[in-house]
Amino acid sequence: MSNFPSPAAPALVLSASPVLLVAPGRGEDLQVRVSAPVTAGPLPIIILAHGFGSSLDGYAPLAQFWAAHGFAVIQPTFLDSRTLGLSPEDARTPNIWQFRVQDVKRVLDNLELIAHSIPGLRLDHSRIAGVGHSFGAQTTSLLLGARMVAADGQLGENMADPRIKAGVLLSAGGRGGKDLSPFAAEHMPYLNTSYAELTTPTLVVAGDADYSPLTVRGPDWFTDAYTLSPGANGLVTLFGAEHMLGGISGYLVTETTDENPERVAAVQRLTWAYLRSALYPEDPAWPNAVAAFYDSPLGRVDEK
């Protein structure tokens, strides 16, 4: 990665957690972490949706990098987090995917309160991005415009939020129907997804060694959000990457089976560059990053 252009030198980052948001009907308040650089605002915002079982403490390699390079990063802890210990028999469990979407919208509704958690923090409400990994990517995709498909083939509720102007989907599951494994079809009907309605500018990041028990297809399933969506205009395919994309979920995590610091660095910089250019169209960060990544042994970038 030595020839990869670096953003400006990292800034000092301040982080506050848990910031509590009152959440009637949820069963408990929503906990979030906010991380931001000690620089003048207003700052663009990334809402980072964690994968199944993680929490506001996850994904430090991404959250820290983005915050050190000019973003305010907000990380909710969803009800499926291992830190909350929700029972599979809990009445909320079948609707976890809906609670997740509601949680992100609750964050959007409370940006002023969240900003007060760090003295002097100023947020740019006109420049908000949604990023998610795995289950978090499914959550984020719905906020970007993707729709659930019911058993009768009808599209589910439109949950898109126009306040989110750009997105990044990391290891996002593909379409449902016949592409789902029997287990996923039975236990995870919310994975029946239509990407045809996702029109928000989005970058999709997938590993070409990400074999999932949720689909009868291979790793190309994780590129569906790009190939089937009119909004997704960029695809990063990482060679040899599995579901954790080299270790994005943490610095010392046992679930990473394809640990690769250079791969994580590529995810950090490419996602940062995409969101910079998506939220600030005059910023050439993304085309510059694509040019630098050309012919990289780490992967490739496709655009449409």
Side-chain angles (χ1 to χ4, degrees):
M1 297 288 291
S2 59
N3 64 337
F4 203 103
S6 177
L12 177 67
V13 171
L14 294 180
S15 184
S17 72
V19 179
L20 298 181
L21 304 182
V22 176
R26 186 177 185 266
E28 55 189 285
D29 291 341
L30 174 62
Q31 301 179 44
V32 304
R33 173 185 293 277
V34 56
S35 303
V38 183
T39 55
L43 299 174
I45 301 163
I46 293 174
I47 301 176
L48 174 56
H50 66 70
F52 181 82
S54 188
S55 72
L56 57 75
D57 292 319
Y59 299 89
L62 298 182
Q64 180 72 20
F65 182 91
W66 294 331
H69 294 95
F71 283 91
V73 182
I74 302 172
Q75 298 174 261
T77 290
F78 300 118
L79 288 173
D80 56 89
S81 174
R82 289 184 292 272
T83 65
L84 300 181
L86 201 69
S87 166
E89 286 73 42
D90 190 288
R92 294 168 289 178
T93 298
N95 297 314
I96 286 288
W97 65 275
Q98 291 174 305
F99 280 104
R100 280 171 152 263
V101 173
Q102 293 166 8
D103 286 346
V104 175
K105 293 192 176 192
R106 186 170 285 110
V107 167
L108 291 167
D109 292 340
N110 287 278
L111 289 177
E112 287 298 337
L113 186 155
I114 291 169
H116 291 156
S117 65
I118 294 182
L121 177 60
R122 296 168 58 219
L123 300 176
D124 187 341
H125 294 203
S126 70
R127 292 185 169 93
I128 302 174
V131 179
H133 172 247
S134 193
F135 197 4
Q138 192 267 351
T139 302
T140 301
S141 72
L142 295 173
L143 291 154
L144 297 172
R147 302 275 286 276
M148 302 282 293
V149 181
D152 62 1
Q154 297 297 308
L155 287 178
E157 177 187 355
N158 181 359
M159 298 181 176
D161 196 305
R163 290 173 289 185
I164 299 178
K165 306 301 184 185
V168 175
L169 302 179
L170 305 162
S171 304
R175 63 186 176 189
K178 60 180 174 51
D179 290 350
L180 294 180
S181 66
F183 174 85
E186 179 180 357
H187 298 283
M188 302 173 184
Y190 52 81
L191 292 181
N192 280 295
T193 304
S194 171
Y195 286 107
E197 295 72 31
L198 194 161
T199 57
T200 309
T202 298
L203 175 68
V204 176
V205 182
D208 73 357
D210 189 355
Y211 292 91
S212 173
L214 301 180
T215 181
V216 296
R217 287 168 53 193
D220 68 306
W221 188 60
F222 291 96
T223 67
D224 281 357
Y226 172 74
T227 57
L228 302 177
S229 159
N233 52 13
L235 170 66
V236 175
T237 302
L238 296 171
F239 302 152
E242 299 176 10
H243 200 62
M244 294 299 173
L245 304 175
I248 62 170
S249 59
Y251 290 112
L252 298 171
V253 287
T254 56
E255 68 260 32
T256 300
T257 56
D258 65 330
E259 184 176 3
N260 186 317
E262 286 195 332
R263 189 175 292 148
V264 173
V267 175
Q268 290 172 330
R269 298 183 183 213
L270 287 165
T271 54
W272 174 87
Y274 180 85
L275 293 177
R276 279 294 308 181
S277 293
L279 298 176
Y280 300 88
E282 72 281 3
D283 191 322
W286 174 243
N288 289 348
V290 172
F293 201 65
Y294 179 76
D295 213 20
S296 169
L298 295 172
R300 71 172 186 274
V301 177
D302 294 294
E303 296 183 275
K304 63 182 182 186

